[in-house]
Amino acid sequence: MSTWANLCLQDSASPLMEQLIFFHDHALLILVMITVLVGYLMFMLFFNNYINRFLLHGQLIEMIWTILPAIILLFIALPSLRLLYLLDEINEPSVTLKSIGHQWYWSYEYSDFNDVEFDSYMVPTNELENDGFRLLDVDNRIVLPMNSQIRILVTAADVIHSWTIPALGVKVDGTPGRLNQTNFFMNRPGLFYGQCSEICGANHSFMPIVIESVPVNNFIKWIS
Ligand code: CUA
């Protein structure tokens, strides 16, 4: 989870989030290079005295400074498309979790198992344990096995919500009347926190998501 003064992305807990961070760093590096170059050129313009009375057109330089940025943009567009299609790939999921957004809590259904469904509410600040995280902990956590492909089905019962876990690189809108699908693979155990990220009403800030990533046998023990 995010802690004090953490301005960067959270540590990844899934291969897809790792790729997203790589892409972020790659795009940022290109952005910094462009900003520095353009900033330097603009700054230097203030101090030059060169004047060319006969300058009307320069076909060559126009060609260069049109095509060069287009090529640079390709270096962002192609990795971006690769990532887009990787995120969409569903690879034989071993567990499916259905999460339904309500005003203002999430409810979950483990469709592979009989009668496993529960609501998950935020723990109010005055009921928080000493080791709890304010505005982030819930009364019933989602337990999911690590090192397994997990499919998430997201929908909503009233207004649009969004099921978002930064450490896993997951962000799916829950829309009434629609069923959205995504997947992830958790490569380490731990607690992964998320929040609703679609402005869904007065208590939008108070419907967090907590995933407990555990070894497979612990998950089987929990589910039975
Ligand atoms: Cu649900 Cu914002």
Side-chain angles (χ1 to χ4, degrees), residues 101-106 158-162 195-201 203-207:
H102 305 263
Q103 278 178 323
W104 287 276
Y105 62 97
W106 292 97
D158 33 53
V159 297
I160 305 177
H161 299 270
S162 180
Q195 285 174 303
C196 176
S197 57
E198 192 76 67
I199 309 296
C200 58
N203 291 326
H204 155 69
S205 319
F206 311 122
M207 47 182 300

Side-chain angles (χ1 to χ4, degrees), residues 6-211:
N6 181 8
L7 300 179
C8 301
L9 294 165
Q10 293 177 31
D11 289 343
S12 80
S14 79
L16 282 175
M17 190 59 217
E18 195 175 24
Q19 292 295 314
L20 284 163
I21 292 172
F22 288 154
F23 177 68
H24 165 267
D25 295 352
H26 169 77
L28 192 67
L29 213 67
I30 293 175
L31 223 72
V32 166
M33 287 193 295
I34 293 170
T35 311
V36 168
L37 179 70
V38 173
Y40 174 77
L41 292 176
M42 287 174 74
F43 185 72
M44 280 326 209
L45 273 178
F46 288 114
F47 302 105
N48 90 42
N49 303 309
Y50 295 132
I51 291 165
N52 187 342
R53 276 207 299 148
F54 305 106
L55 180 71
L56 287 174
H57 56 86
Q59 302 293 333
L60 184 67
I61 190 65
E62 296 250 7
M63 285 284 277
I64 292 171
W65 72 39
T66 307
I67 292 170
L68 212 67
I71 293 172
I72 294 172
L73 285 183
L74 275 183
F75 278 92
I76 301 176
L78 294 178
S80 169
L81 281 172
R82 188 192 79 111
L83 200 51
L84 189 68
Y85 285 107
L86 273 177
L87 290 169
D88 215 31
E89 196 73 47
I90 304 258
N91 183 32
E92 296 217 19
S94 37
V95 183
T96 300
L97 174 72
K98 186 178 176 189
S99 60
I100 303 139
H102 305 263
Q103 278 178 323
W104 287 276
Y105 62 97
W106 292 97
S107 65
Y108 299 103
E109 294 173 12
Y110 287 75
S111 325
D112 303 320
F113 308 91
N114 263 345
D115 289 333
V116 182
E117 50 181 84
F118 53 87
D119 296 341
S120 181
Y121 284 86
M122 186 191 80
V123 179
T125 305
N126 54 321
E127 292 170 25
L128 211 58
E129 304 287 331
N130 282 328
D131 56 353
F133 293 109
R134 195 176 74 93
L135 304 184
L136 230 40
D137 260 314
V138 295
D139 54 356
N140 292 308
R141 290 171 174 163
I142 313 157
V143 178
L144 283 171
M146 58 185 264
N147 292 330
S148 325
Q149 275 293 332
I150 291 151
R151 171 168 51 193
I152 305 289
L153 303 171
V154 188
T155 184
D158 33 53
V159 297
I160 305 177
H161 299 270
S162 180
W163 203 81
T164 306
I165 313 274
L168 298 173
V170 174
K171 183 173 190 288
V172 196
D173 272 13
T175 311
R178 283 174 55 91
L179 194 60
N180 288 329
Q181 178 182 250
T182 190
N183 76 113
F184 58 78
F185 180 98
M186 296 183 290
N187 53 18
R188 61 184 167 92
L191 285 178
F192 305 126
Y193 289 86
Q195 285 174 303
C196 176
S197 57
E198 192 76 67
I199 309 296
C200 58
N203 291 326
H204 155 69
S205 319
F206 311 122
M207 47 182 300
I209 303 148
V210 185
I211 297 184

